[in-house]
Amino acid sequence: MKGGACLNDFGIALVALGERESGTARLEEAVTAYRAALEERTRDRVPLDWAKTQNNLGAGLQARGARESGMALLEEAVLAYRAALEEMARERAPLDWARTQNNLGAGLQALGERENGTARLEEAVVAYRLALEEQTRDRVPLEWARTHNNLGIVLQILGDRESGTTRLKEAVTAYRAALEERTRDRVPLDWAMTQMGLGTALTYLGERESGTARLEEAVAAYRAALEEQTRERVPLDWATAQYNLGHALCALGERESSTAHLEEAVSAYRAALEEWTRDQVPLQWERMQTGLKFALDLIAEQTACSE
């Protein structure tokens, strides 16, 4: 029994280390440790401990699977979360059940992002909404906010794949709910991350609507995120925020006769290129070049029309 507990704790420590490293060796060791722990922490003997280790195994497999292009490890992670929920009943351990539902949602979301369909993403929405039935704002405010943020992400992905605006509006609502507890003072980087998600959902919405209000809100959200996602602290996140800001500004500029927003977009794109170098992140660099060229071409067109 003690050996199983030690192996479980060892796996947790290895995942924490592995998430900070670029390789996968620690994560592979963590998965091995969890599997060994399950040989001691059997379902018949200690069902709740077995369930907790299954949940941890799922997290280890998901972290490992996130660094591969295939789906097998993510599929295994989802199976591990579902196994955990067989014993981690809502009536017996409501918050542990909710956390595992949240993890299941994350695993399904990761799978759904790699598939063309929306079935996994729809399942993720269900899992997150179930988690929120126990992760109430009064009971666990930051977990409530985190799950709302996760819900916002998956709704945003669904909305991007659909032609309507319902899912995107739901995503905006979820992100704004998260920001009620994910405040800048309390968790500045989480606050910034949610501002980024909100900005993206608002940008998608704004591109599908005729006005400019949503796009202006998106610009404000990205600028807010950049107040904490500084180049010194998180350079690649800073570059991503600059790119997203440039995209929203460019969308705004397309709908206006002035070139002011387009010129701001060019500045944002060029700022991002200071970190998104061709050698370091070639795909992002190429995307940035495309956005920059588009903004510059629009400026040239609008300038020529005004002469």
Side-chain angles (χ1 to χ4, degrees):
M1 292 287 289
K2 287 183 180 178
C6 288
L7 284 165
N8 181 73
D9 292 344
F10 184 46
I12 292 171
L14 286 167
V15 168
L17 284 170
E19 287 178 336
R20 298 176 187 178
E21 298 173 351
S22 58
T24 61
R26 301 282 196 182
L27 296 174
E28 289 168 5
E29 288 181 69
V31 168
T32 300
Y34 288 136
R35 293 199 194 281
L38 287 167
E39 294 177 13
E40 295 290 330
R41 285 185 152 187
T42 63
R43 185 174 183 179
D44 290 340
R45 189 187 301 174
V46 281
L48 277 180
D49 288 341
W50 173 85
K52 287 176 182 177
T53 302
Q54 286 284 1
N55 179 64
N56 293 342
L57 173 61
L61 287 163
Q62 186 176 332
R64 179 72 181 84
R67 300 185 184 181
E68 289 187 354
S69 58
M71 313 261 281
L73 289 171
L74 294 176
E75 295 276 10
E76 287 185 69
V78 166
L79 289 176
Y81 293 138
R82 292 198 193 279
L85 288 167
E86 292 174 17
E87 289 294 339
M88 202 177 283
R90 183 175 182 178
E91 298 76 17
R92 184 186 294 180
L95 285 179
D96 286 338
W97 172 86
R99 291 177 187 120
T100 305
Q101 288 286 359
N102 184 68
N103 289 346
L104 174 61
L108 288 164
Q109 178 185 319
L111 277 171
E113 288 180 276
R114 297 184 182 186
E115 296 176 343
N116 294 325
T118 60
R120 302 280 198 172
L121 298 172
E122 296 284 3
E123 288 182 79
V125 169
V126 172
Y128 288 140
R129 292 200 192 280
L130 282 172
L132 285 167
E133 292 179 12
E134 292 294 340
Q135 286 178 332
T136 62
R137 185 176 181 181
D138 290 341
R139 186 187 288 178
V140 282
L142 285 179
E143 289 184 38
W144 173 86
R146 182 189 64 183
T147 302
H148 266 101
N149 182 77
N150 292 346
L151 178 60
I153 293 170
V154 74
L155 287 166
Q156 175 189 308
I157 296 167
L158 275 168
D160 186 39
R161 295 186 183 182
E162 297 170 354
S163 58
T165 59
T166 301
R167 293 293 197 178
L168 293 173
K169 289 176 180 176
E170 289 178 7
V172 167
T173 299
Y175 285 131
R176 286 187 168 144
L179 288 168
E180 293 174 19
E181 291 294 338
R182 272 191 164 185
T183 62
R184 184 176 180 182
D185 290 343
R186 186 187 295 178
V187 282
L189 285 179
D190 287 343
W191 171 84
M193 187 188 306
T194 303
Q195 290 284 2
M196 279 278 287
L198 175 61
T200 302
L202 286 165
T203 300
Y204 291 165
L205 261 179
E207 289 175 329
R208 295 181 187 182
E209 295 177 351
S210 57
T212 60
R214 300 284 195 180
L215 294 171
E216 288 166 2
E217 289 179 77
V219 167
Y222 290 137
R223 290 199 193 282
L226 283 164
E227 292 175 17
E228 291 294 338
Q229 285 182 334
T230 62
R231 185 177 182 183
E232 296 72 28
R233 184 187 287 178
V234 281
L236 290 181
D237 289 341
W238 172 83
T240 301
Q242 290 285 1
Y243 171 79
N244 290 347
L245 174 61
H247 181 80
L249 286 164
C250 198
L252 260 178
E254 279 189 273
R255 300 182 183 184
E256 298 170 344
S257 57
S258 167
T259 62
H261 281 127
L262 293 172
E263 288 165 4
E264 288 182 75
V266 168
S267 295
Y269 286 142
R270 284 180 170 155
L273 284 169
E274 294 174 20
E275 290 294 338
W276 272 11
T277 64
R278 188 173 190 173
D279 290 340
Q280 190 172 0
V281 282
L283 291 178
Q284 290 92 324
W285 180 86
E286 186 176 347
R287 192 162 77 239
M288 185 71 71
Q289 293 290 342
T290 301
L292 178 58
K293 182 179 184 302
F294 183 67
L296 288 168
D297 287 347
L298 281 174
I299 290 172
E301 287 174 19
Q302 292 192 13
T303 301
C305 288
S306 65
E307 291 176 352

